[in-house]
Amino acid sequence: MTTAQNTDAEDGGGPFTNWVKSAIENPGKVHRAMFYVALIFFMFTTLFPIYWLVVLSLTPNDLIVNMGPIPRGFNISVFVDMWQTVPLHQYMFNSFVIAITTTAYVLLVSSLAGYAFGRLEFRGKGGLLLLLLIISFFPPAAFILPLFKLFTGNVVLFGLHSPDLFNTVGAIIVPFSGLFLPLSVFILTTFYSQIPDGLEDAARVEGTTRIGALFRVIMPLSAPGLSTAGILTFIAVYNEFFFSFLMTTGQPENGAPLVWGILAFQSQYTSLYNYMAAASLIGILPVALIVVVAQEKIVSGLTAGAVKE
Amino acid sequence: MGNVTLEHVTKQYDDVTAVNDMNLDIQDGEFVCLVGPSGCGKSTTMETIAGLTLPTAGEITIAGKDVTKLPPKDRGIAMVFQNIALFPHMDVYDNVSFGLRLRDFETEEIDRRVERAADILQIGDLLDRQPSELSGGQRQRVAIGRAIVREPEAFLMDEPLANLDAKLRVHMRTELQRLHKELDTTIIYVTHDQAEAMTMSDRIAVLNNGQLQQIAPPLTCYNEPANRFVAGFIGSPSMNFIEGEVGHDGFESEFISVEFDPTAFDVSVGDAVTLGVRPEDVHLTGEAGSIAHPTDPVDTVTDVIEPMGNEIFVYLTHGSRERTTMDEEQRKGDQLLMSVDPDVELSEEEAVTVRFDRANLHLFDQQSGDARCHGLVSSHSTATSEQRTTAED
């Protein structure tokens, strides 16, 4: 800055005028400046909430009212104590069961659907894809009442009551599988349609069935697509609150997921904000790890098909 | 026994008949080429044999077993594809052993077979490479290796050399012939390159518009084409065709007439026929002494001369018409291609007289295109028909 001010003094203009002058001569300077402005903005909006959670978790709960951005204390024991207050590990386990089951089911079904839509010619293909697209645009909340009736055994079909799934992981897995299927079908349709026919033919001549060729050749070659669809589904289900909240009553033995666990720190008379913040941080960790490990594949998966190579 | 038979096989798509009533009987150990122009149905025929498409009608047997409805994996065939189709996510060893591993072979047996295939194809030092690290020729060898480890009843090869450069193609051609000799397995080979078909196969099946035109040994297809299509397709450059009719004294057309006795051949006076003569059977009158049965001389004028090095192609026209005023169709009908030795000196617009070799003239029916007779030599004609019957046997 001192050198800049010195030159300003020599030219006789103010520092801002001089900066603008040199920027006009050298547009790269403006690009760089805008890049840093944008970078700082996005870094702030994404990282600040996490920082805020750290601040809240480290501050003892009696000091937490009117919090500023600096922690008031360093109460790291909260990360140990919270497990004793609420069985968070059970809630997390439920969340994993729900997310992994849903992801596996979605990947399996959307692989079969993606194979049919991407590699076979049949009548009504366009119509079915359109139908799938329309369904994927339905607001999930619109399904909650009929699903609630269904899962509480209040729907009778041919004299049979619907299964009583309420307050089990099943009541969360089933609707999520349906809701996240269309996106995965679209992603995998694009990927599977790009695998050359010759490879599938070769696999079939060598000794697989069509399904065998799908699992042995087409799916391994579409790994970026599969991991994109899988991770998007996993994260969305892991983070979901609405259905999880309405379809269970909040006991970990009844399949209540992580969000219920975080809410469990809140009771009628007390809110353990520092514990909730610590639990949120722990809850973020698995997803953050997955994204770090798989980010390369996600990026290539999301951009594949956009550009013809 | 790796014999392959197709009986009345038809493949119908929505509005196209890709293969029409195909009958083929391929013997064990035979090397048969399916040739024809693009879209003639040769690849579809191959796919129906492989089971990748099911025929609309007809029956396919491989090694005496009806496989018409069987999936590809149960047909006892191995296939080499035009685009090579190695699995990009597996190394060479896994690619070659893919079919064996699917069939639960013992590890030692898999190793033994892969090793043997690698020896034959000289890919032993490539086994742990990825397909993306191989050159075009190496990939093709690996694809062939993947086919031979299975020890199938028959190999299907769908233009396997089409994606290779010219030099490598010629090299792989001889390799394939050597391989066929070594393995002694039926090979069905699809190509649009008639040079490949002529050099490699025991028999050539010429296809056009989804129909089998002729199936015969290469030289029979060349010397005694079953119809005008085969005559035009086999041989490069193509045969000359002159349209005319049968008169009392033989073949007559606007400019060219060939004397023969119509009663001695399978034609009658007044038939509309096409005379076929290959460029190498057109001789300058000066060298006509070397041919046994020359025709009467024909007066022509040289047009374009194409020296090829080992021979010269000379386009001859009938000098009586002004060529610049003719349309494409007329020019083609008027044109005669001759191949002469490279030491013959000719210049453009030079008047020359030529004779044809009677023994190698062909007459085709103008309507159906079917061959009426090969060789317009009276004493010779019976011999030719005998030859034909033996060839058909």
Side-chain angles (χ1 to χ4, degrees):
Chain A
M1 279 309 275
T2 41
T3 36
Q5 274 166 357
N6 287 344
T7 23
D8 298 343
E10 281 160 27
D11 293 352
F16 185 70
T17 320
N18 273 311
W19 193 87
V20 170
K21 257 186 204 164
S22 77
I24 290 169
E25 284 160 24
N26 186 7
K29 220 171 168 179
V30 181
H31 290 159
R32 221 167 339 165
M34 284 168 70
F35 170 74
Y36 283 116
V37 169
L39 185 73
I40 290 165
F41 176 75
F42 284 117
M43 293 288 278
F44 182 78
T45 52
T46 49
L47 292 182
F48 183 76
I50 294 170
Y51 170 75
W52 188 241
L53 283 177
V54 175
V55 168
L56 287 182
S57 60
L58 292 178
T59 307
N61 203 40
D62 48 347
L63 300 174
I64 220 158
V65 187
N66 292 329
M67 268 299 294
I70 314 288
R72 294 175 182 168
F74 195 73
N75 181 23
I76 202 143
S77 64
V78 64
F79 287 98
V80 180
D81 295 342
M82 66 174 189
W83 302 98
Q84 290 161 352
T85 318
V86 167
L88 195 66
H89 53 285
Q90 289 185 35
Y91 289 105
M92 280 184 81
F93 175 77
N94 287 342
S95 274
F96 267 103
V97 169
I98 292 165
I100 288 172
T101 316
T102 308
T103 307
Y105 176 81
V106 163
L107 285 186
L108 181 72
V109 175
S110 59
S111 279
L112 297 173
Y115 178 87
F117 283 126
R119 304 190 65 82
L120 303 178
E121 286 301 324
F122 56 90
R123 205 169 296 171
K125 182 163 131 179
L128 278 175
L129 270 172
L130 192 67
L131 189 69
L132 204 62
L133 192 69
I134 292 169
I135 289 174
S136 72
F137 285 148
F138 265 56
F143 298 120
I144 194 75
L145 279 179
L147 281 175
F148 193 83
K149 272 193 88 175
L150 184 75
F151 292 147
T152 47
N154 287 323
V155 175
V156 182
L157 196 65
F158 303 123
L160 287 171
H161 284 274
S162 57
D164 192 358
L165 290 176
F166 182 74
N167 239 352
T168 66
V169 285
I172 304 172
I173 291 169
V174 173
F176 283 171
S177 301
L179 288 172
F180 290 106
L181 207 52
L183 175 70
S184 294
V185 170
F186 275 98
I187 292 175
L188 293 181
T189 299
T190 317
F191 269 87
Y192 293 171
S193 66
Q194 288 169 346
I195 306 294
D197 287 347
L199 288 178
E200 191 190 346
D201 289 347
R204 288 174 63 201
V205 170
E206 284 296 306
T208 67
T209 54
R210 274 179 184 273
I211 299 285
L214 171 66
F215 284 105
R216 283 171 193 276
V217 174
I218 296 171
M219 280 172 72
L221 291 177
S222 307
L226 279 170
S227 55
T228 306
I231 287 164
L232 289 180
T233 309
F234 185 91
I235 292 176
V237 174
Y238 187 83
N239 290 340
E240 211 277 344
F241 176 68
F242 185 72
F243 277 80
S244 323
F245 188 68
L246 292 172
M247 289 297 182
T248 62
T249 50
Q251 291 78 34
E253 59 275 16
N254 290 338
L258 184 65
V259 278
W260 266 117
I262 295 170
L263 282 174
F265 291 106
Q266 201 169 23
S267 66
Q268 198 172 350
Y269 306 108
T270 54
S271 288
L272 300 169
Y273 289 119
N274 55 341
Y275 282 35
M276 290 169 78
S280 301
L281 280 175
I282 298 293
I284 290 170
L285 275 181
V287 181
L289 280 176
I290 291 174
V291 172
V292 167
V293 170
Q295 63 161 336
E296 228 169 90
K297 288 208 162 159
I298 300 182
V299 171
S300 68
L302 287 176
T303 53
V307 182
K308 196 117 189 157
E309 281 169 38
Chain B
M1 285 298 287
N3 53 337
V4 177
T5 55
L6 278 70
E7 278 172 50
H8 306 292
V9 169
T10 299
K11 178 67 192 179
Q12 181 96 35
Y13 290 107
D14 287 341
D15 47 355
V16 194
T17 306
V19 179
N20 192 358
D21 195 26
M22 180 79 64
N23 290 291
L24 280 177
D25 189 0
I26 296 162
Q27 300 301 313
D28 184 32
E30 202 174 17
F31 195 132
V32 172
C33 278
L34 306 182
V35 289
S38 304
C40 71
K42 53 192 193 297
S43 284
T44 312
T45 306
M46 183 72 105
E47 281 171 14
T48 56
I49 299 174
L52 295 170
T53 39
L54 293 179
T56 319
E59 207 167 85
I60 300 161
T61 57
I62 295 172
K65 195 170 76 174
D66 181 357
V67 298
T68 317
K69 296 273 186 285
L70 288 185
K73 66 188 179 76
D74 299 331
R75 295 193 173 203
I77 43 117
M79 193 160 172
V80 181
F81 293 84
Q82 178 177 359
N83 51 12
I84 297 172
L86 292 181
F87 305 121
H89 58 301
M90 300 180 191
D91 66 18
V92 170
Y93 179 90
D94 285 347
N95 261 291
V96 173
S97 61
F98 185 75
L100 299 178
R101 285 184 286 127
L102 283 175
R103 286 175 171 74
D104 293 330
F105 275 81
E106 306 268 326
T107 320
E108 298 90 61
E109 175 67 6
I110 294 177
D111 280 342
R112 195 186 60 76
R113 289 203 191 182
V114 172
E115 222 161 87
R116 179 164 168 265
D119 274 352
I120 296 173
L121 298 162
Q122 295 156 16
I123 52 170
D125 48 344
L126 306 177
L127 287 176
D128 50 0
R129 300 245 200 117
Q130 294 292 321
S132 57
E133 300 167 340
L134 304 179
S135 69
Q138 288 171 329
R139 283 181 207 180
Q140 194 54 271
R141 279 164 204 271
V142 174
I144 294 169
R146 183 171 67 183
I148 64 180
V149 290
R150 299 246 320 277
E151 298 176 5
E153 305 281 2
F155 290 107
L156 307 179
M157 301 196 180
D158 189 357
E159 307 211 25
L161 309 182
N163 286 356
L164 304 181
D165 63 64
K167 201 174 162 196
L168 194 56
R169 191 153 55 215
V170 175
H171 175 70
M172 286 302 287
R173 206 157 77 188
T174 49
E175 295 266 303
L176 274 178
Q177 280 172 279
R178 196 170 301 137
L179 190 70
H180 179 233
K181 216 177 287 174
E182 198 161 328
L183 299 173
D184 198 27
T185 310
T186 315
I187 296 183
I188 304 172
Y189 189 103
V190 163
T191 179
H192 64 267
D193 179 350
Q194 48 129 333
E196 271 177 26
M198 291 293 284
T199 51
M200 294 200 292
S201 49
D202 296 325
R203 282 196 296 166
I204 296 180
V206 185
L207 273 62
N208 190 32
N209 292 330
Q211 269 171 325
L212 182 65
Q213 306 291 320
Q214 183 172 20
I215 175 159
L219 286 180
T220 311
C221 284
Y222 188 82
N223 292 325
E224 290 167 31
N227 56 36
R228 193 180 150 163
F229 176 80
V230 177
F233 189 79
I234 302 286
S236 173
S238 174
M239 188 184 269
N240 295 299
F241 294 109
I242 303 143
E243 314 228 310
E245 61 172 40
V246 179
H248 290 286
D249 303 324
F251 175 80
E252 287 165 4
S253 77
E254 197 177 347
F255 302 113
I256 294 162
S257 56
V258 178
E259 277 184 33
F260 62 87
D261 179 9
T263 55
F265 299 96
D266 184 24
V267 286
S268 45
V269 176
D271 283 355
V273 292
T274 304
L275 178 75
V277 53
R278 292 202 181 273
E280 64 265 32
D281 297 320
V282 181
H283 300 267
L284 288 168
T285 30
E287 53 170 331
S290 61
I291 49 176
H293 307 283
T295 59
D296 290 337
V298 179
D299 292 322
T300 57
V301 177
T302 60
D303 185 16
V304 178
I305 296 176
E306 295 179 336
M308 303 296 290
N310 58 343
E311 59 188 334
I312 304 175
F313 295 136
V314 185
Y315 289 88
L316 304 170
T317 60
H318 226 274
S320 61
R321 270 200 282 193
E322 193 60 48
R323 284 181 63 74
T324 46
T325 62
M326 289 160 68
D327 62 26
E328 187 70 24
E329 197 66 20
Q330 282 175 308
R331 198 172 298 155
K332 229 176 165 182
D334 188 56
Q335 193 168 269
L336 194 63
L337 177 61
M338 169 174 72
S339 132
V340 295
D341 287 343
D343 51 353
V344 175
E345 280 181 27
L346 281 173
S347 56
E348 289 182 16
E349 303 285 326
E350 187 179 330
V352 292
T353 48
V354 295
R355 292 168 193 265
F356 305 142
D357 185 350
R358 273 172 177 283
N360 293 321
L361 290 179
H362 312 270
L363 284 183
F364 302 99
D365 194 293
Q366 260 186 35
Q367 210 78 47
S368 65
D370 289 344
R372 300 295 287 272
C373 52
H374 303 290
L376 294 174
V377 186
S378 303
S379 57
H380 198 75
S381 66
T382 41
T384 348
S385 54
E386 265 168 33
Q387 271 174 17
R388 206 178 334 153
T389 36
T390 44
E392 274 165 8
D393 292 341

